[in-house]
Amino acid sequence: MDVYNLKNHIIEKPEYIELILEETGFYNIDNRGNEYRCARKEGRNPTSVRINKTTLSATCYSTNLNGDLITLVKDKLSLTFPKTINKIAELIDYKDEEQYEPPKIPFGGFYKKIRKFSNPIDIDLETYSEDILDQFEQIPNMLFYKDGILPKTQSVFQIGYDSVTGRITVPWKTFSGELCGVMGRLNKKTISEDETKWLPIIPFPKSKTLYGFVENYSSIREKGIIMLGESEKHTMALSSKGLNVGVSLGGSFLSEVQANNIKSMFPKKSLIMMDEGLDEEHSLTIAKSLKFENFFKNEVGYIFDRENKYLPKGSKMAPADLDKMSLECLIRDCTVWI
C-alpha cells in the first residue's frame, strides 16, 4: 500500500475524512470549512478532535494526541501501522493497482514543481511474510550494543543474526509496514579489504522506502521533527537515546519517492544528518528538496561540522554515533538552517 498516494487521495477528496471518522467510531462530526471537528466517544466534547483537511494533521485534546489522520485512527482502534493503513484504504475503497488521475495540485499545492506523481506501480516493492525472519536468530547483538544501540531498540527493529552468512540481519519495511528486504552486516569490528561490511541478504531497492519510517511515524508526527541520516544505525542509535524521530536512507542520496513520503508527514522541522566527510553542497541539496514553498511553513537544516569539533576529520562518523550530550552540542553549534 502506497501511503503517500493514499494520503494525497484523501486530501483531494476530503469527504473521505468524514467517512473514515464515522466508520472508526467518532461522533458529532462537524465540517467547519478547513477542518473537521468531532468527539472521540459518544456524549463527549464534540470539538475535542480536530482534523485539518489540507494536511490531514490531527489533534485529540482528550488524549493529548498530536499527529495526523493515520495516527488518530491507529490510536482509536489500537491497530498496528500496517493494519491502520489497510483499514483506511478499505473504508474508502482505495487500491494501489487502480490508476488514479494525478491531481492538478497535489497536497494543496506544495508539489507544483513536480511535473507528475510517481506511478504507484513504479514504487511497488516485492514483500514477504515476516515468518521469513524466523530463520534468523532473534537476539541482541553485542557489536551494535557497543555502538550504543540498546537491546530494547534492537528488539523493536527486529535485529537478528544469520548463521549462514555470519551477518547481523537488519529488516527493512515498505512505507506501509510490510517486510521488503533484509540487509546483513558483518558481525565484527575490523573488516578486511576483501570483505564487504554490508550486503543484502534479501535484496531490495532502498530508494523506494526509508528505514524507520513505520516504526517512528507516530513519534515524528507527534514531535513535529524528523532527523534524516545515512545508515540504519543512524535511526537505531537515535532511538536508543530516546529520539524516536530518525529515518535512514541506506546511503547518501535522497530519491523523489523518499522526499515525497517525508513531506507527506508535514514535519515542522527536518534535520539532515549526513556522515562526516560528505560535501556540504550534498546536504544542502537534500535540505532544499524537503523545504515547503507554499502554504505550509517548515524549517529545514543540515549539520555540517566545519571545524571538526565533534566529528573527527576523516572519521566518516555519523552524528548519531555521538553520545547524547555531544549530539546536542553538535546540533546546537553546527546546524545550518536554509
Side-chain angles (χ1 to χ4, degrees):
M1 181 62 61
D2 179 7
V3 180
Y4 169 73
N5 278 339
L6 172 64
K7 292 182 70 174
N8 194 51
H9 190 61
I10 295 171
I11 288 171
E12 288 300 315
K13 298 183 178 180
E15 62 271 19
Y16 283 148
I17 300 174
E18 184 171 356
L19 173 63
I20 293 166
L21 293 172
E22 288 178 347
E23 294 297 325
T24 54
F26 292 88
Y27 292 85
N28 302 113
I29 302 165
D30 184 17
N31 187 343
R32 296 192 174 187
N34 291 329
E35 65 180 23
Y36 281 97
R37 286 294 186 101
C38 62
R40 192 174 187 274
K41 293 183 179 181
E42 188 173 12
R44 297 291 181 87
N45 185 344
T47 64
S48 65
V49 178
R50 180 175 65 182
I51 304 94
N52 184 288
K53 293 181 181 179
T54 307
T55 65
L56 298 188
S57 62
T59 303
C60 180
Y61 297 106
S62 61
T63 62
N64 292 319
L65 181 144
N66 182 26
D68 63 4
L69 182 63
I70 293 174
T71 59
L72 182 71
V73 173
K74 179 178 180 292
D75 178 72
K76 182 70 164 64
L77 301 182
S78 298
L79 296 176
T80 63
F81 187 87
K83 287 184 178 180
T84 303
I85 296 299
N86 288 332
K87 177 69 174 179
I88 291 173
E90 178 185 324
L91 290 174
I92 65 173
D93 196 28
Y94 176 90
K95 296 180 176 62
D96 272 350
E97 60 267 21
E98 292 182 9
Q99 295 300 303
Y100 294 107
E101 188 68 25
K104 294 180 180 178
I105 310 179
F107 279 112
F110 73 76
Y111 284 153
K112 284 184 177 179
K113 286 190 175 181
I114 297 178
R115 294 180 180 177
K116 62 179 182 178
F117 271 166
S118 301
N119 190 316
I121 294 177
D122 293 337
I123 62 172
D124 274 350
L125 292 172
E126 184 174 359
T127 58
Y128 308 87
S129 167
E130 293 209 4
D131 292 343
I132 201 170
L133 298 179
D134 292 342
Q135 65 184 293
F136 309 126
E137 191 173 2
Q138 300 292 306
I139 56 172
N141 180 270
M142 184 57 69
L143 183 67
F144 278 8
Y145 177 70
K146 289 180 178 179
D147 283 340
I149 301 174
L150 299 176
K152 180 180 179 180
T153 301
Q154 295 188 40
S155 177
V156 168
F157 287 91
Q158 299 174 285
I159 301 303
Y161 180 72
D162 179 21
S163 58
V164 176
T165 63
R167 291 178 178 272
I168 304 166
T169 55
V170 182
W172 278 62
K173 307 291 180 64
T174 66
F175 287 116
S176 58
E178 299 171 286
L179 179 69
C180 64
V182 177
M183 290 299 295
R185 202 275 189 201
L186 275 178
N187 190 30
K188 55 183 180 179
K189 195 75 174 178
T190 304
I191 311 296
S192 64
E193 292 184 1
D194 62 339
E195 293 178 312
T196 304
K197 183 185 293 187
W198 288 92
L199 280 177
I201 295 175
I202 299 178
F204 65 102
K206 290 182 179 179
S207 63
K208 295 184 178 182
T209 186
L210 283 165
Y211 186 79
F213 180 90
V214 172
E215 291 84 355
N216 289 338
Y217 186 96
S218 295
S219 184
I220 291 168
R221 282 295 313 157
E222 178 185 356
K223 305 298 183 184
I225 184 172
I226 187 168
M227 295 182 172
L228 177 67
E230 294 189 38
S231 79
E232 298 91 334
K233 289 175 63 181
H234 160 83
T235 295
M236 291 187 282
L238 288 179
S239 290
S240 294
K241 295 177 178 66
L243 301 170
N244 298 310
V245 292
V247 295
S248 303
L249 298 169
S252 57
F253 291 92
L254 178 72
S255 70
E256 182 179 309
V257 170
Q258 292 169 328
N260 285 350
N261 278 275
I262 289 174
K263 294 175 90 170
S264 75
M265 289 192 282
F266 292 95
K268 295 176 183 177
K269 290 186 178 181
S270 297
L271 185 60
I272 316 305
M273 305 171 65
M274 307 306 278
D275 294 356
E276 187 280 329
L278 197 67
D279 186 83
E280 181 177 4
E281 188 65 29
H282 191 96
S283 292
L284 176 60
T285 299
I286 292 176
K288 286 180 176 178
S289 69
L290 296 179
K291 185 76 172 176
F292 289 84
E293 296 182 356
N294 296 296
F295 71 101
F296 185 78
K297 295 183 181 293
N298 70 322
E299 294 182 84
V300 181
Y302 61 89
I303 288 177
F304 193 71
D305 189 359
R306 301 180 192 281
E307 300 177 358
N308 295 105
K309 183 177 179 180
Y310 303 100
L311 304 173
K313 190 173 181 60
S315 67
K316 296 184 179 181
M317 189 176 183
D321 290 338
L322 295 170
D323 62 78
K324 190 171 183 179
M325 184 176 296
S326 298
L327 177 60
E328 290 174 354
C329 293
L330 173 71
I331 294 173
R332 181 194 65 205
D333 298 340
C334 302
T335 298
V336 181
W337 299 102
I338 65 170

